[in-house]
Amino acid sequence: MPRYAKPIVQPIADQTLVLDNGAYTMKAGLVPLSAETPPDCNIIPNCLARSRNKRIWIGAQLEQCRDFGEMAFRRPVERGYLVNWEAEKEIWERSFFDKDAKVKCDPHETNLILTEAPNAPQALQNNCDQMIFEEFEFASYYRCIGPTLNAYNDIQPLFEKNSGPRPTFEEGVIIPPDAMIVIDSGYSHTTITPLIQGRPIQNAIRRLDIGGKLLTNRLKELVSMRHYNMMDESYLMNECKETVCFVSGDFKNDLERTWKGNTRPMGISNIPLHDENSDGRVGKKDEAIIVEYVLPDYTTRIHGYMRPYNPSVNNKARKLAGGGGGGGGGVKGVTAGGGGPDKQQEEYMTLGNERFTVPELLFNPGDIGMNQAGLPETVMQSLKALPGGLWPAMLANVLLVGGNANIPGFIERLEIELRSIVPAECLLRIANPVDPIKSTYQGGVHLATQKHVLEKVLVTKQMYQEHGSLWLNKRFMSGT
């Protein structure tokens, strides 16, 4: 066999595009190699949208839209995997390469750190490699499982009260935690990823096919049956979900307290779940379960909002509007103050058990006939795939990230249910970052500022052309 001279490896570029390519939004930023302060995270809608007047909105253009009524969306990421590069290419070009791009860069002089969902099909990974190097022509890139980047954040202050600054760098090299579990609950699904020194344990990764999209669709169905037909209002119902939904700490009791006819204001029974001296996570007290969600009219306001339920005002408004009164539906064309002629008319929905039965699916998927275990049981399935000696270290560092981590009561309920099924001798600590949506991106920023680490994980275009996608897959799986 003839011998070939060892090729000269190209040096890495001086800037890196960190791209957490989520199904709902992209979290992106351009990071100089010698950055002393982290750059701002740009959150860009990862979709093509068509409004009811047939106008097309691409990516960040959606931020200029003022009418989301009957908006139709086309998303390149489905079930967590990037399957439509035709749409994604259009979004990336508008977001990163156009003259007025939100995060403008020259791919020939830029490294790329790109996230993907765990256990992505190899054919989709090969397509991704081809697009990155042959279509966009990035100088080099690193494709990694999204949850792994959270290991490059300093997570210990999240678990320890009054902890001072902790070193996360040693001689220019990032030191991830020895063991941790990342629960990433996003738009398409929820994944449980155990990490050892920042590397995923592939055979222990578990997936729950419930994410923000399914929760929004469930809320659409409930609202359409009880109030208005909202099956074509995905954007509005997603906003409503983010505003009103919470995870109940006592599901049966809260369900009883929202039966028809029981309309007096009541406190949310899942709050407080912890004593005020425990970990500081104490919710609001005496907040009514039954609330009103005022719908946007896309003229004077483009976003809906939540307000307390006041049955006396609502009954008066129904009489003035000539309506009969229904026990929990919305009222059309009346005002909150009684319907004066000089006041802006509005439409609203009265929401009760919809607020907590929708996110309850994360814990009980069987409520809608899904043959999957709830999130606590899925975490235990992941742990059982690991040696028992790793359990204490894993359970002591459980990090909850993703958009659904912002649902009030989620982390408290998860901690209570996990405590009841994990071994009593194991310390259980669960925390979420200040901004769970940006956490993966922030970990990528920390990685992008470490030249010695980048040189080990990045693959240059020259290496791709020499070895091909199969070699890339093996390299990215090993993390070296």
Side-chain angles (χ1 to χ4, degrees), residues 6-14 107-111 133 137-141 451 454-456 458-466 475:
K6 186 176 180 180
I8 300 176
V9 179
Q10 299 174 351
I12 64 175
D14 292 332
H108 300 92
E109 300 177 357
T110 305
N111 311 310
F133 282 125
E137 298 183 343
F138 276 92
S140 58
Y141 103 115
K451 183 177 180 180
L454 273 183
E455 288 175 341
K456 294 180 180 179
L458 283 177
V459 171
T460 64
K461 185 178 180 181
Q462 177 183 345
M463 297 165 69
Y464 167 76
Q465 292 172 337
E466 180 179 354
R475 179 181 173 92

Side-chain angles (χ1 to χ4, degrees), residues 278-293:
S278 58
D279 59 2
R281 296 196 300 261
V282 179
K284 299 178 181 179
K285 297 181 180 179
D286 300 324
E287 180 180 340
I289 294 180
I290 301 177
V291 299
E292 294 173 356
Y293 185 77

Side-chain angles (χ1 to χ4, degrees), residues 69-288:
E70 301 178 8
M71 184 80 74
F73 293 92
R74 182 184 179 190
R75 300 188 183 277
V77 179
E78 297 180 5
R79 297 182 181 273
Y81 304 122
L82 181 49
V83 296
N84 189 340
W85 269 107
E86 180 183 357
E88 193 68 276
K89 180 175 180 291
E90 186 71 24
I91 297 169
W92 281 22
E93 287 180 346
R94 295 294 183 98
S95 303
F96 308 128
F97 310 131
D98 277 3
K99 183 182 299 184
D100 56 347
K102 196 167 186 179
V103 186
K104 183 173 175 55
C105 68
D106 179 2
H108 300 92
E109 300 177 357
T110 305
N111 311 310
L112 174 65
I113 296 179
L114 178 66
T115 64
E116 65 176 358
N119 299 323
Q122 184 174 334
L124 297 181
Q125 293 176 328
N126 293 343
N127 290 341
C128 182
D129 299 336
Q130 182 177 354
M131 290 296 296
I132 296 302
F133 282 125
E134 298 182 17
E135 180 69 30
F136 296 109
E137 298 183 343
F138 276 92
S140 58
Y141 103 115
Y142 174 46
R143 171 170 46 79
C144 62
I145 296 174
T148 61
L149 292 181
N150 291 276
Y152 296 98
N153 291 320
D154 186 11
I155 67 170
Q156 290 308 315
L158 301 175
F159 298 102
E160 300 175 4
K161 270 190 137 184
N162 302 322
S163 61
R166 298 176 60 89
T168 54
F169 304 98
E170 183 178 342
E171 296 180 356
V173 178
I174 294 174
I175 307 297
D178 291 334
M180 67 181 297
I181 294 178
V182 178
I183 302 174
D184 188 353
S185 186
Y187 182 72
S188 300
H189 52 69
T190 300
T191 56
I192 295 91
T193 308
L195 304 176
I196 296 291
Q197 295 181 346
R199 297 185 181 182
I201 305 177
Q202 293 289 341
N203 66 322
I205 296 176
R206 294 295 181 268
R207 168 175 169 140
L208 176 63
D209 291 322
I210 294 181
K213 180 179 180 180
L214 188 144
L215 300 183
T216 299
N217 288 340
R218 179 59 176 168
L219 182 60
K220 284 197 300 185
E221 293 173 358
L222 293 177
V223 168
S224 297
M225 287 189 296
R226 301 175 183 180
H227 306 293
Y228 304 110
N229 183 3
M230 293 290 183
M231 297 307 295
D232 294 330
E233 300 289 351
S234 297
Y235 186 90
L236 172 59
M237 285 295 96
N238 189 73
E239 278 196 332
C240 179
K241 176 198 69 179
E242 294 176 350
T243 303
V244 307
C245 284
F246 68 93
V247 175
S248 173
D250 190 348
F251 182 78
K252 291 183 179 179
N253 185 45
D254 283 345
L255 197 59
E256 291 177 357
R257 299 170 73 173
T258 53
W259 279 354
K260 185 176 180 180
N262 189 7
T263 56
R264 60 186 180 86
M266 307 165 192
I268 294 180
S269 62
N270 71 313
I271 300 173
L273 287 172
H274 294 268
D275 183 76
E276 293 184 359
N277 296 322
S278 58
D279 59 2
R281 296 196 300 261
V282 179
K284 299 178 181 179
K285 297 181 180 179
D286 300 324
E287 180 180 340

Side-chain angles (χ1 to χ4, degrees), residues 17 28 34 61 100 112 118 129 151 172 178 214 303 326 330 338 367 400 403 407 411-412 417 424 426 428 435 443:
L17 175 63
S34 58
Q61 293 179 350
D100 56 347
L112 174 65
D129 299 336
D178 291 334
L214 188 144
H303 300 291
D367 289 353
L400 179 61
I407 300 177
I411 190 170
E412 292 87 348
E417 295 208 1
C426 292
L428 176 63
D435 192 338

